[in-house]
Amino acid sequence: MSADNILELQHITKYYPGVIALNDVSLEIKRGEVHALVGENGAGKSTLIKTCSGAISPSEGTIIVNGKQFERMTPIISRENGIGVIYQEFDLVGDLSVAENIFLGRAIRKGIVIDRAAMVNESKKVLDALNIEIDPNVLVKTLSVGYQQMVEIAKAVSQNAQLLIMDEPSAPLTKQEVQSLYDIVDTLKANGVSIIYISHRLEEIFRLADRVTILRDGQYVKTVNAEDTDEDELISFMVGRKLTEIYPKRSSECVKNEIMFEADHVSGNGDTDISFKIHRGEVVGLGGLVGAGRTEFAELMFGMNKKTSGRFLFNGREVSPKNPREAIEIGIGLVPEDRKQKGVLLGMSIKNNINMPIYQRISKGAVINKKKEQSIAEKYRKEITIKTPSIEQLSKNLSGGNQQKVVLAKWLAADTELLIFDEPTRGIDVGAKHEIYSLINTLVEKGKSVLMISSEMSELIGMSDRIFVLAEGRISGELNKEEFDQEVIMRFASKSKVEG
């Protein structure tokens, strides 16, 4: 092992029944570098980092940490050798303080008594070193997701982590919290800590990483210097082909003069007033800052919440869905931002999820037509290429992109006319994003309509025919395609009611 390397993975292979999750992967991590790990969902990134943390054992291969050789790790051995991991699901106890969480399982004691003052003092030293402004005495459950993540990082640093693995750390964060995360990564690197950084957001890779390793289908593809590559090349390495356009073009003839949906001075809480129209065959983008009310309005349209004034018109007829079931019958579907909590039932099969909105249609009384259930699920599995060995597979075992396809499949099965996509590609790799965009184009080409809520400016501009911008519960601006401009959108998004 080179003295420059803190970690070497040699010929790591991991078998599961019927699946090779990792196939002969070798990788070197240098001291004090930020090393990005990229690849589509299912490429093997999570499996690889779990072999480093000891969460799983490789079937074959060798792990070398600081010159010590291991055939397998355990979480304890991993921590003892300076490896810390920040998973997407935090390992924190909400009812304990920040200091108690930082020293979770290794409390400082005076004899047999826990020395809380010492833990607060030591926690403050760690937080100060990372330029994190959090009171060590506050309960973790009172913190935002971004600050909870900072507590996780502080916990790892307090255990003298020399190598910190971050798995999609920016996915749940606001823009301001993302910038704080970048600052912490810069500080850690300056202090000599090595970082393995996993992210679908390629702009982050070029902001933070020194080197980038690409995995595809469980195999090592290549390691490149970040400064020697670009997004197009990384994407081609990740997906094994060139995506000629991230946002595939569609015919402008998709958009018809016919108005499918109209919101007329709609309010959900007395403090909003929203009006706009969606034409048949149109993708309408809904932009705005976090807290502008975009998701809340989508939930009004889908009957999850009750409007207090105004009206909805669908195909010229006034409608007022009181619950999602009524919205579905009208012809409205919602692909929610939080697909794991609200979009897909993780403990159910793909088949059950796809048929969920239409079981009443394919049943006689309490008896489900199993043949129809099977054929419908198979039809949409093939039509939108859900990657799975079987429609009986539990949805929780799918990648994020394929879970999103299952949500989409159920609305296709329900013959939904208007689909609301709330952050449709959050946490999805670039190859799956392209597939989702292509599916959206297919929908509108068939005469359906899409309302797309997105915080990704490039996504809004790349996919929409028109964009409405929401600020403080009101439409602050409308732009046609030829008027799309990031600065203009941000200006509308920042507009206050006083300015408006």
Side-chain angles (χ1 to χ4, degrees):
M1 176 172 175
S2 168
D4 292 336
N5 297 334
I6 187 169
L7 173 72
E8 288 186 13
L9 304 176
Q10 297 180 348
H11 309 292
I12 300 296
T13 297
K14 179 62 180 178
Y15 302 104
Y16 290 105
V19 177
I20 303 177
L22 291 172
N23 188 6
D24 195 26
V25 174
S26 296
L27 179 66
E28 297 177 351
I29 307 297
K30 297 181 183 297
R31 298 182 188 280
E33 77 165 338
V34 177
H35 194 119
L37 194 59
V38 301
E40 295 189 88
N41 286 328
K45 305 184 298 295
S46 293
T47 306
L48 192 66
I49 65 170
K50 285 176 181 176
T51 64
C52 299
S53 69
I56 64 174
S57 298
S59 305
E60 299 173 10
T62 303
I63 302 167
I64 303 175
V65 186
N66 282 322
K68 298 177 186 176
Q69 187 168 310
F70 304 90
E71 299 302 316
R72 59 185 293 275
M73 300 291 283
T74 67
I76 292 174
I77 293 172
S78 177
R79 283 194 300 272
E80 287 175 347
N81 283 272
I83 298 175
V85 187
I86 311 299
Y87 290 112
Q88 293 182 53
E89 304 294 331
F90 301 150
D91 185 21
L92 297 172
V93 180
D95 289 322
L96 296 182
S97 70
V98 168
E100 287 169 324
N101 271 277
I102 288 175
F103 285 93
L104 198 63
R106 52 191 190 92
I108 299 174
R109 295 177 181 271
K110 276 185 179 177
I112 60 170
V113 179
I114 293 176
D115 191 342
R116 299 186 188 281
M119 289 198 298
V120 167
N121 187 48
E122 290 302 314
S123 295
K124 193 169 187 325
K125 288 180 185 176
V126 175
L127 294 166
D128 287 348
L130 294 170
N131 298 312
I132 298 172
E133 295 183 8
I134 302 177
D135 181 351
N137 293 291
V138 301
L139 297 183
V140 159
K141 67 182 179 183
T142 66
L143 300 176
S144 70
V145 172
Y147 279 110
Q148 287 182 18
Q149 186 182 76
M150 293 176 194
V151 174
E152 281 278 34
I153 293 171
K155 182 167 69 171
V157 170
S158 75
Q159 296 174 27
N160 298 314
Q162 298 170 278
L163 170 63
L164 192 58
I165 302 170
M166 297 184 172
D167 187 9
E168 295 288 353
S170 68
L173 306 185
T174 65
K175 187 171 284 188
Q176 187 174 354
E177 289 170 338
V178 168
Q179 186 55 56
S180 298
L181 172 67
Y182 292 171
D183 293 341
I184 291 172
V185 170
D186 290 340
T187 300
L188 289 167
K189 180 182 172 182
N191 291 338
V193 177
S194 303
I195 295 170
I196 297 177
Y197 194 95
I198 298 174
S199 179
H200 289 312
R201 296 176 176 175
L202 296 186
E203 68 271 16
E204 294 184 356
I205 303 304
F206 291 101
R207 161 64 177 82
L208 296 172
D210 299 297
R211 293 192 300 153
V212 186
T213 289
I214 303 98
L215 297 181
R216 185 172 69 239
D217 298 330
Q219 294 184 305
Y220 172 87
V221 176
K222 192 166 189 165
T223 297
V224 295
N225 293 322
E227 64 183 10
D228 295 334
T229 189
D230 58 28
E231 285 197 13
D232 289 341
E233 185 177 52
L234 278 187
I235 290 168
S236 67
F237 287 144
M238 288 163 62
V239 302
R241 63 192 187 281
K242 286 196 173 182
L243 298 181
T244 51
E245 290 175 338
I246 297 287
Y247 304 103
K249 292 193 185 312
R250 63 179 175 272
S251 170
S252 59
E253 295 176 1
C254 295
V255 183
K256 312 300 179 188
N257 288 327
E258 176 188 351
I259 294 172
M260 177 186 284
F261 175 85
E262 181 177 355
D264 181 23
H265 295 288
V266 171
S267 173
N269 58 12
D271 197 32
T272 57
D273 185 351
I274 297 173
S275 298
F276 65 85
K277 298 174 182 177
I278 301 173
H279 296 89
R280 186 171 293 279
E282 183 178 34
V283 177
V284 168
L286 191 59
L289 302 175
V290 173
R294 296 170 303 168
T295 295
E296 290 78 5
F297 183 73
E299 291 176 347
L300 281 181
M301 290 174 63
F302 194 55
M304 294 172 69
N305 296 313
K306 186 179 178 182
K307 64 180 174 61
T308 54
S309 62
R311 59 183 189 148
F312 290 133
L313 290 97
F314 195 82
N315 289 329
R317 179 172 63 93
E318 186 170 347
V319 296
S320 187
K322 298 180 182 63
N323 52 57
R325 171 59 57 193
E326 288 189 11
I328 293 165
E329 291 304 319
I330 290 165
I332 300 173
L334 172 64
V335 181
E337 176 182 9
D338 188 349
R339 61 180 169 269
K340 289 190 175 181
Q341 294 296 324
K342 298 179 181 178
V344 64
L345 296 169
L346 297 175
M348 283 192 166
S349 69
I350 296 166
K351 179 181 71 180
N352 291 149
N353 271 284
I354 291 175
N355 284 284
M356 190 59 63
I358 59 167
Y359 271 125
Q360 286 182 327
R361 301 182 201 173
I362 62 170
S363 302
K364 281 189 177 181
V367 180
I368 297 168
N369 186 323
K370 296 292 185 182
K371 191 174 180 181
K372 279 187 180 178
E373 180 189 39
Q374 184 83 12
S375 65
I376 288 168
E378 281 291 356
K379 175 188 175 183
Y380 290 106
R381 179 188 71 82
K382 291 174 184 174
E383 194 169 299
I384 62 176
T385 59
I386 299 170
K387 294 176 183 173
T388 177
S390 166
I391 56 172
E392 303 295 343
Q393 172 89 275
L394 294 183
S395 297
K396 68 181 180 182
N397 295 326
L398 298 176
S399 68
N402 282 296
Q403 286 177 359
Q404 193 75 312
K405 287 183 182 180
V406 170
V407 181
L408 182 53
K410 76 178 182 182
W411 298 129
L412 294 177
D415 199 26
T416 304
E417 286 192 78
L418 173 61
L419 258 172
I420 307 164
F421 285 85
D422 192 357
E423 303 290 358
T425 62
R426 177 164 288 175
I428 292 176
D429 65 74
V430 69
K433 277 186 180 184
H434 188 269
E435 291 182 19
I436 296 293
Y437 298 147
S438 296
L439 287 168
I440 289 173
N441 284 356
T442 300
L443 287 172
V444 295
E445 284 164 3
K446 290 180 177 178
K448 299 181 186 297
S449 301
V450 168
L451 176 66
M452 186 177 72
I453 299 167
S454 179
S455 299
E456 287 192 34
M457 195 75 75
S458 59
E459 185 170 77
L460 268 184
I461 290 172
M463 288 300 296
S464 303
D465 296 300
R466 286 184 301 143
I467 295 173
F468 290 95
V469 185
L470 209 59
E472 297 185 353
R474 285 165 170 75
I475 299 293
S476 57
E478 175 188 353
L479 296 95
N480 294 316
K481 206 166 189 71
E482 60 272 13
E483 300 172 309
F484 289 176
D485 181 275
Q486 290 200 23
E487 288 187 19
V488 173
I489 293 170
M490 281 307 299
R491 199 154 56 240
F492 281 133
S494 304
K495 216 176 208 179
S496 71
K497 290 173 189 169
V498 175
E499 291 172 318

